[in-house]
Amino acid sequence: MASSMLSLASASPSASLSMHDTLKGKVRLGSGNLTAWFHKEKSNPFINTKSSGRISMAVAVNVSRFEGITMAPPDPILGVSEAFKADNDEKKLNLGVGAYRTEELQPYVLNVVKKAENLMLERGEYKEYLPIEGLAAFNKVTAELLLGADNTVIKQQRVATVQGLSGTGSLRLAAALIERYFPGAKVLISSPTWGNHKNIFNDARVPWSEYRYYDPKTVGLDFEGMIADLKAAPEGSFILLHGCAHNPTGIDPTPEQWEKIADVIQEKNHIPFFDVAYQGFASGSLDADAASVRLFAARGMELLVAQSYSKNLGLYAERIGAINVICSSVDAAARVKSQLKRLARPMYSNPPVHGARIVANVVGDPTLFDEWKAEMDMMAGRIKGVRQKLFDSLSAKDKSGKDWSFILKQIGMFSFTGLNKAQSENMTNKWHVYMTKDGRISLAGLNLAKCEYLADAIVDSYHNVS
Ligand code: PLA
């Protein structure tokens, strides 16, 4: 009975209960039947009426009004870090979340970030609210970093840029825009994709479906399948694309394939929607990694681009990113920006300033910008070194003749090992290697010293678990 009441209560926005209200019997639940039922004290599960002589007291019994809320499953990516923390084995290795670690497997704060923070202290910068759209200096440099400062779309002021709560918050804001102004429009996402994409569109109530992307047979891109699915999608769909370093597969289209993808998207009047969470982390070059987005912009297409500074500037917890909407006119860009602000205001009001200042200081200062590029090159280089060593170790240890060279073809922070769920579970349960159950490992959390151990774990899981 309690749970049927709870589900009704949670469905009605007017039905917020306080213990005070229930004890006074003043409950209004917005449902005639329920109100009537609640007034019958005898059947009220929250109130136990005791009568002794002339004194009657109402005592709340220990039944939570959240009884009907079931336990949510752990997050498939961030939940891995929680499980890792709880493991006391000294061999344990966290290859779950994509967070860069040093060769000593310690978290890393970039030197340019420390310098930018010192600058902020020296300048004595204030902490007052930012405008809803974020820090102007940040919005300027973030669009320039993405598109190139001399891009026509920037010169013509056709880009609506709004600072977001990192990549996730920026995607979520764009999803809200789609839900509000393109009712019923579908978003097509790659199969597979970053797990949170589905959550974001589900929560924003935006319908989505998948297009083919990864081909397990070739351990590469299913380009024909992808093109066929984009062609078959309803005209005017949003096509979510990973700008570079596709997560989780580490497989990106070639420049020629990007051109063909753009052809189909244009033919079908689709709207490209880029998620750029790893600019600079795929190749080590910020410009090379933005080539896909720039190619679409150069065709005069309208597009959405979510950006994140979690990985490339290591600003994970600062929650700094942006949503850019490239429009065909200045006027449309101004209107889109005004509506993005309108969506942001009741969600989180305005974004945090700290990370925005760091990005503005680093990207806006030629010396710091060069230092950043060098540090990013170092981080991307370390991951490449680990990737090579893992491949060498696997090839040396696996006597079955299996070809592991696909690992070298993947780019970015991750390797998609091809291990299935049971094999991935064996990696964790037997070898204390924490990773997502789709077989993805974060090479950013691996060092040279642990490559052989990891190779032993992979060879065992691959050959001895089906
Ligand atoms: N888009 C993609 C493709 C991502 O992989 C991630 C992060 C984001 C957006 C959002 O990151 P942000 O909100 O921090 O900017 N993916 C991580 C972390 C690194 C995560 O799942 O939140 C991952 O391990 O897949």
Side-chain angles (χ1 to χ4, degrees), residues 109-136:
V109 180
L110 276 77
N111 291 324
V112 281
V113 167
K114 290 183 191 155
K115 288 184 183 173
E117 285 177 326
N118 281 335
L119 267 178
M120 282 158 59
L121 281 178
E122 280 166 23
R123 291 178 190 161
E125 294 191 278
Y126 61 81
K127 303 284 186 192
E128 279 191 12
Y129 291 132
L130 282 181
I132 304 171
E133 71 264 37
L135 187 75

Side-chain angles (χ1 to χ4, degrees), residues 75 77-78 96-99 165-169 171 194 196-197 242 247 275 277-278 307-311 316 319-320 413-414 440:
D75 183 80
I77 298 176
L78 298 184
V97 71
L165 303 181
S166 209
T168 308
L171 290 161
W194 176 49
N196 213 19
H197 281 147
H242 298 222
N247 178 9
D275 180 357
Y278 300 94
Q307 287 173 283
S308 163
Y309 290 92
S310 291
K311 274 72 73 174
Y316 308 91
R319 311 311 293 147
I320 177 67
M413 280 192 156
F414 301 108
R440 183 190 89 169

Side-chain angles (χ1 to χ4, degrees), residues 302-450:
E302 298 196 295
L303 55 138
L304 283 75
V305 192
Q307 287 173 283
S308 163
Y309 290 92
S310 291
K311 274 72 73 174
N312 53 15
L313 259 178
L315 294 176
Y316 308 91
E318 297 296 354
R319 311 311 293 147
I320 177 67
I323 179 72
N324 302 269
V325 186
I326 302 176
C327 304
S328 58
S329 70
V330 189
D331 190 45
R335 283 183 279 110
V336 166
K337 187 165 179 172
S338 75
Q339 292 297 346
L340 286 170
K341 286 165 64 177
R342 191 187 190 182
L343 287 160
R345 172 67 168 145
M347 260 198 240
Y348 56 85
S349 192
N350 48 70
V353 73
H354 193 81
R357 284 216 180 99
I358 295 172
V359 176
N361 285 346
V362 171
V363 183
D365 177 300
T367 313
L368 289 185
F369 189 46
D370 283 345
E371 278 186 52
W372 178 33
K373 288 195 264 189
E375 270 189 289
M376 207 155 40
D377 207 40
M378 176 280 289
M379 291 191 289
R382 196 189 81 73
I383 296 173
K384 278 185 196 148
V386 166
R387 194 183 279 286
Q388 182 67 49
K389 174 90 192 279
L390 177 62
F391 165 74
D392 293 343
S393 310
L394 281 167
S395 306
K397 284 173 187 289
D398 189 354
K399 308 288 180 216
S400 75
K402 179 177 164 60
D403 180 7
W404 291 95
S405 64
F406 66 88
I407 287 180
L408 296 178
K409 294 192 194 114
Q410 299 167 344
I411 56 168
M413 280 192 156
F414 301 108
S415 178
F416 204 46
T417 59
L419 295 178
N420 64 26
K421 188 164 178 279
Q423 293 164 339
S424 302
E425 273 162 2
N426 185 64
M427 295 283 287
T428 306
N429 299 340
K430 179 169 168 189
W431 293 87
H432 305 272
V433 175
Y434 287 79
M435 57 187 284
T436 53
K437 299 286 174 274
D438 57 359
R440 183 190 89 169
I441 52 175
S442 167
L443 297 181
L446 180 65
N447 62 2
L448 294 173
K450 302 261 181 164

